[in-house]
Amino acid sequence: MKIELENMKNTRDLGGMTGDRGRRIKKGKLIRSGHLWGASENDIKTLFDYGVRHIVDFRTDQEVTDHPDPQIDGVKYNHWPALSNRRLGVTLEKGAEKELAETMDYFLATPGQARKDMIDLYRIFIEEEAGINAYKNFLTMLSKEPQGAVLWHCSFGKDRAGTATMLILETLGVSKEDIIADYLTTNDNIGERMDIYTEHITSVRPHPKTAAVVRDLLCADADYINNIYDIVQNKYGDMKGYITEVLGITLTQQENIRNYFLED
């Protein structure tokens, strides 16, 4: 369910989704989001009134330095980067036009490369140390029955936050079909922001295929998240195997998460 905010267009409550044994996720407990750094005072008040008491930020150290989250009294902030600074991809901020132009030149000269890089990025999330540590910390925290709502985010709320969402929904027993449908909902929420970025990037590097490259980089695509499922199935059998063996989340911790976040 989308939470209506002034400056945050991709914030939504996972409550109501059907999980293990037909039990639904409790409302007001698990909230996925895009960036918080542009949140208005009304947005912050709305989130606090909604019950948010924990924030998990999956952005890199550099992203946090450039655009720190607002400090909210009574809310615990956790910074667990799911990607190292050296893996940080295309820069979209104004003032970085030279770097942006060079990146776009690379993608435009190599058709399909942006899509390939995005698919590989999702592999990086689940196989490299930064992502493993971040998602282990995230699920460990959720297993300890945190009071209030937990909100997690990255920049767009699509890739790093989307992977975190997939992992918690898998732990809660939500179907793969519903997980992918939730992931793709991001595209419905970021249309206006996509238009702004597309216009900006096209002004920096005009080309007939610029818009298509931007879509590959910034839109949710089922192939991206399905790549995680393929890797996990080939290496660990299923997502429970990955969560247990790689993230080190015990079966007891997983059961704690289900008991706490699913309705009776």
Side-chain angles (χ1 to χ4, degrees):
M1 178 185 71
K2 185 176 180 180
I3 301 175
E4 295 297 335
L5 300 165
E6 293 177 344
N7 296 339
M8 299 167 60
K9 304 303 182 183
N10 194 27
T11 303
R12 52 193 192 268
D13 187 341
L14 301 182
M17 296 184 73
T18 302
D20 182 55
R21 292 179 287 168
R23 294 182 291 171
R24 293 187 179 277
I25 298 175
K26 295 176 183 176
K27 294 181 180 179
K29 288 292 186 182
L30 296 171
I31 301 172
R32 60 176 297 171
S33 183
H35 67 80
L36 298 187
W37 59 264
S40 68
E41 290 186 9
N42 286 335
D43 290 340
I44 292 172
K45 183 179 185 303
T46 297
L47 291 174
F48 189 84
D49 291 347
Y50 202 84
V52 172
R53 296 297 182 269
H54 302 267
I55 289 174
V56 176
D57 188 346
F58 289 118
R59 296 177 301 158
T60 64
D61 294 336
Q62 187 61 55
E63 289 174 295
V64 171
T65 298
D66 292 342
H67 297 290
D69 276 6
Q71 294 184 352
I72 307 173
D73 290 340
V75 177
K76 179 175 174 56
Y77 174 79
N78 303 278
H79 178 217
W80 295 323
L83 198 64
S84 64
N85 282 330
R86 68 185 179 85
R87 290 292 194 180
L88 189 60
V90 60
T91 297
L92 303 177
E93 303 301 330
K94 295 183 182 301
E97 280 76 8
K98 180 180 179 182
E99 179 183 348
L100 174 57
E102 292 173 351
T103 301
M104 290 303 298
D105 285 343
Y106 166 70
F107 286 132
L108 290 169
T110 315
Q113 190 62 47
R115 187 176 181 81
K116 290 178 182 177
D117 282 6
M118 287 303 302
I119 289 174
D120 190 55
L121 183 64
Y122 279 64
R123 176 197 62 78
I124 290 170
F125 292 153
I126 65 165
E127 290 195 332
E128 293 199 356
E129 183 178 8
I132 291 172
N133 289 339
Y135 298 133
K136 175 183 176 66
N137 288 337
F138 177 58
L139 291 180
T140 297
M141 181 190 74
L142 295 181
S143 74
K144 295 178 180 179
E145 303 183 1
Q147 297 302 303
V150 178
L151 180 150
W152 61 94
H153 75 93
C154 49
S155 180
F156 265 59
K158 168 178 70 83
D159 303 317
R160 290 162 286 185
T163 301
T165 303
M166 177 201 68
L167 291 167
I168 182 57
L169 292 179
E170 278 284 344
T171 302
L172 293 171
V174 175
S175 70
K176 178 181 176 181
E177 291 73 20
D178 286 349
I179 291 172
I180 292 177
D182 171 74
Y183 167 76
L184 293 175
T185 298
T186 289
N187 292 335
D188 299 329
N189 296 338
I190 65 170
E192 182 179 346
R193 193 176 178 196
M194 271 291 301
D195 291 341
I196 293 172
Y197 278 130
T198 301
E199 181 179 356
H200 170 55
I201 295 171
T202 301
S203 70
V204 172
R205 183 57 76 230
H207 191 281
K209 294 185 178 180
T210 294
V213 171
V214 174
R215 283 196 300 273
D216 285 341
L217 291 172
L218 301 185
C219 285
D221 189 307
D223 286 349
Y224 300 166
I225 201 163
N226 272 321
N227 185 49
I228 292 180
Y229 278 102
D230 291 342
I231 292 171
V232 166
Q233 183 175 4
N234 289 334
K235 290 189 174 183
Y236 309 102
D238 57 19
M239 200 62 69
K240 179 183 285 187
Y242 172 81
I243 292 169
T244 305
E245 296 175 32
V246 179
L247 299 186
I249 307 301
T250 68
L251 296 179
T252 299
Q253 287 176 304
Q254 294 174 50
E255 187 62 22
N256 287 345
I257 290 172
R258 287 188 287 273
N259 289 336
Y260 186 64
F261 290 103
L262 293 175
E263 295 176 349
D264 295 332

